[in-house]
Every structure is written in structure tokens, then in C-alpha cells.
Amino acid sequence: MSFGQGGPQGAPGDSQASAPQGAPPPGTPARPGPPPAAAGTPAPWPQAPALPQPQPAFAPPQPQTAQTPDWAALADDSAARDRRRKWLLIGGGVLATGAVAAIVATAVIKTGKGDKTLPAAEKLPSASPSAPEPSFSQVAPPPPPNPREFIASADKDKAPLTTKTLFPHSKPSLDKRSYDRAATDTTSDCASVGQGGLGQVLARNDCRKVLRATYVRDGVAVTVGVAVFDTKAKADQVKEQATGNIAALTEGEAPTFCQATSCRLTANAEGRYAYFTVAGYTNGSAVPSDDAKALQAGRDVAGYTFRRIMARANEQASAAAAPPKSSSQPSAKASASSQAKA
């Protein structure tokens, strides 16, 4: 049995025939479709829709153009990383220090069997209000005395004066040259120890006494004579008026030097003392004009005499500047007297 065009007929009694499957609903305008196939020709199969074209699993790398790296940007990035690392280290150190300080503080507070309070500060004794304040003198101390003042006049020059105090060394070293003391002498007859007019000059200016000493070294002998006056003015006057020479003190190793022969002479004054030297050969021969040994010996002994006069001045100035001693201690004058007697 074949169905007519348009499909099977509906059953009797239906008011409307069922629309075939896939037909548009009633009232929908029909779309133009393919022409119906001829009778006896099979209907064509519907065509499958086109599938999408498969894509490759990965895209091949595209060639890139070579570019020069930005070194400045790379350096900035490296510096920024270093700064961040530095700040991280500093921050970590600060945090660690704070943590250690907190731990130490906690340990200190907890020390003492749970006592969380620190011990009270010890009370120190206050200064006594009655303690005396140090006082200072408003008067400046007097300046030290000038040593030359003590040898300028007989009124101040009171220390013992003998050949032992004025010439105490038996073997003095004068400018690294050693001399032997051969003889000493003291006289109040000043005119008797002067030659060539010097005796009269001493007597005319009120010479009090003359102290002499003779020193010998390497075939040369020197006699020094120290004339003592009451004032410095008298001694300076004798120095200006000096003529002739002091008489040689010939004893011991120098029995005949400077006896009516030419010798080396010096004259000087310090304080109330005028001093003179005569230097020659111990064998009694005359000193030539080109001599150096007698000249040096006379200068050595003259310098030694000056230092001994200044030592006398310094000792008296120091004794005057020293504070007064108690009665149980000997005075400076008594000590000097005992030294002179030794």
C-alpha cells in the first residue's frame, strides 16, 4: 500500500490531520524547498555539515630582530636590589637587637625569685654644710731674690769666706780638663800680693783681703787671686784701674813659674770681688806670644773662679727665700759655719 503525496491520511473522526514530523506548524508560510523527487527516484541524503579545519598544536617560532640590552636599566635594577637587601639586613639587625634587649630586660626583672621590681637606689650621705671652703691668698708671693744682690755689698754677703769655701775642690775638672790644686793662701795685706802697680791699686780702694790658689796641669801653672771689697762699686773701680799682675803662689809642683818672666794675665770683677790670674810654665820659662796652653789654663781657672763666686751668691739667695725653720733645726748660718770648719 502506498501513501499519497503529503503523507498518510488521518484517522476517521479527526478534525485535523497531524502534521508530518519536521513540517512547520499550521499558519506558518511555507519555505521554498527543493523540488519533489520524481516517482520511483530515491530521496537524496542530507549533507553533513563542514567540520572546522584542525589547528597545529603549536605555532612555529617567528624570527626576531636582535636588540642591544639596556645596560643602564640593568644597572639600576641591580642597585635597587642591593638597596633593598641592605635595608632588609639593617632592619633585621635592629629587630634582633631589640629582641635581645627585651630578653635581657625581662631576665633582669625576673631575677630574685619572681620579684619584678628593681632594687631602690642607695641613698648617699649629703655633704656636710659645715665643711670649710678652701681659701686662697689674694696676695701674690714675692719674687725670688736676685743672687747678685747678696754679693754686691758686705752688708748682705755674710756667708763664711775662706779658701776652703771659695776653692773647695782639690782636683777640679774645668771644661773637661782636670787640674791639681797645688797651694792656697789668704792675706789681709793686699799690697804685698800685687806686682807692677796692682798692689797700690788694691790698697787705694780699701781692699779687705786677698785669697789665692794655684792649679797645675800638663806643665802649666795658674795662680788666681780674689780681692775682697765692701761694695761692688769698689771692685768695679779696681778692675778698670788694674795694672801689673797678681803675684804667683809658687809652691809644690810650681816652685818657680812666672818669676820675672812674661806670663798670661787676666782681670775681672763680679759683685764685691775683683779676681786676677797669672799663668806660665812650671819650669820657669817665659811664655811666647804664640802660646796656647798657658792662655787656655788662665781662662779655665778664671771661669772656675767666677762660678765659685756665683755659687756663693745662689746659696745665700736660696737660704733667704726658704721658709723659716723650727728651733730644733740648725740655722743656715750655723750649717755654713760647720761646713767651713770641716
Side-chain angles (χ1 to χ4, degrees):
M1 182 177 62
S2 63
F3 297 94
Q5 185 176 3
Q9 300 293 324
D14 291 342
S15 59
Q16 186 176 358
S18 300
Q21 187 176 4
T28 303
R31 294 180 180 178
T41 305
W45 295 97
Q47 294 181 357
L51 298 176
Q53 192 70 21
Q55 297 295 329
F58 62 92
Q62 299 295 328
Q64 298 181 355
T65 304
Q67 296 181 356
T68 303
D70 190 348
W71 298 111
L74 293 176
D76 292 341
D77 292 343
S78 177
R81 287 194 299 272
D82 291 341
R83 287 194 294 271
R84 287 195 296 272
R85 186 181 300 108
K86 179 179 179 181
W87 283 113
L88 288 175
L89 292 175
I90 293 174
V94 172
L95 291 176
T97 303
V100 171
I103 293 172
V104 171
T106 303
V108 170
I109 292 175
K110 290 184 178 181
T111 302
K113 297 182 180 181
D115 187 4
K116 296 183 179 181
T117 60
L118 296 175
E122 181 182 359
K123 293 183 179 180
L124 298 177
S126 59
S128 175
S130 60
E133 294 291 334
S135 60
F136 300 95
S137 175
Q138 300 298 325
V139 180
N146 185 355
R148 282 187 164 89
E149 293 179 0
F150 290 87
I151 58 173
S153 68
D155 295 336
K156 280 192 172 183
D157 192 7
K158 298 296 185 179
L161 179 60
T162 64
T163 55
K164 290 184 178 180
T165 61
L166 192 60
F167 308 116
H169 307 103
S170 60
K171 292 182 178 295
S173 178
L174 312 180
D175 292 335
K176 299 182 180 180
R177 289 178 285 273
S178 179
Y179 288 79
D180 292 328
R181 187 182 62 195
T184 59
D185 176 69
T186 302
T187 181
S188 58
D189 185 4
C190 300
S192 65
V193 293
Q195 294 179 346
L198 182 60
Q200 290 76 11
V201 173
L202 297 177
R204 188 168 59 244
N205 287 279
D206 302 323
C207 172
R208 296 300 181 183
K209 60 181 175 179
V210 175
L211 299 90
R212 291 185 297 169
T214 297
Y215 296 90
V216 178
R217 178 182 184 271
D218 195 18
V220 175
V222 182
T223 293
V224 57
V226 179
V228 184
F229 302 88
D230 288 339
T231 63
K232 180 179 184 301
K234 288 289 186 178
D236 292 339
Q237 188 172 342
V238 168
K239 174 186 174 182
E240 297 298 328
Q241 299 175 359
T243 182
N245 61 279
I246 196 76
L249 183 60
T250 57
E251 289 184 15
E253 299 180 29
T256 59
F257 82 102
C258 292
Q259 299 295 313
T261 59
S262 59
C263 292
R264 293 286 187 179
L265 309 176
T266 66
N268 211 332
E270 183 62 45
R272 67 186 187 110
Y273 302 98
Y275 54 98
F276 311 90
T277 64
V278 55
Y281 298 144
T282 56
N283 59 8
S285 61
V287 176
S289 59
D290 60 349
D291 166 77
K293 293 175 63 176
L295 177 65
Q296 185 64 63
R299 290 176 176 176
D300 287 345
V301 174
Y304 171 67
T305 304
F306 168 77
R307 291 192 293 273
R308 292 304 309 156
I309 295 173
M310 289 306 302
R312 175 183 178 84
N314 291 325
E315 289 172 0
Q316 295 182 90
S318 299
K325 297 181 180 180
S326 62
S327 57
S328 60
Q329 295 179 346
S331 62
K333 186 175 181 180
S335 298
S337 299
S338 61
Q339 181 181 3
K341 294 178 181 179

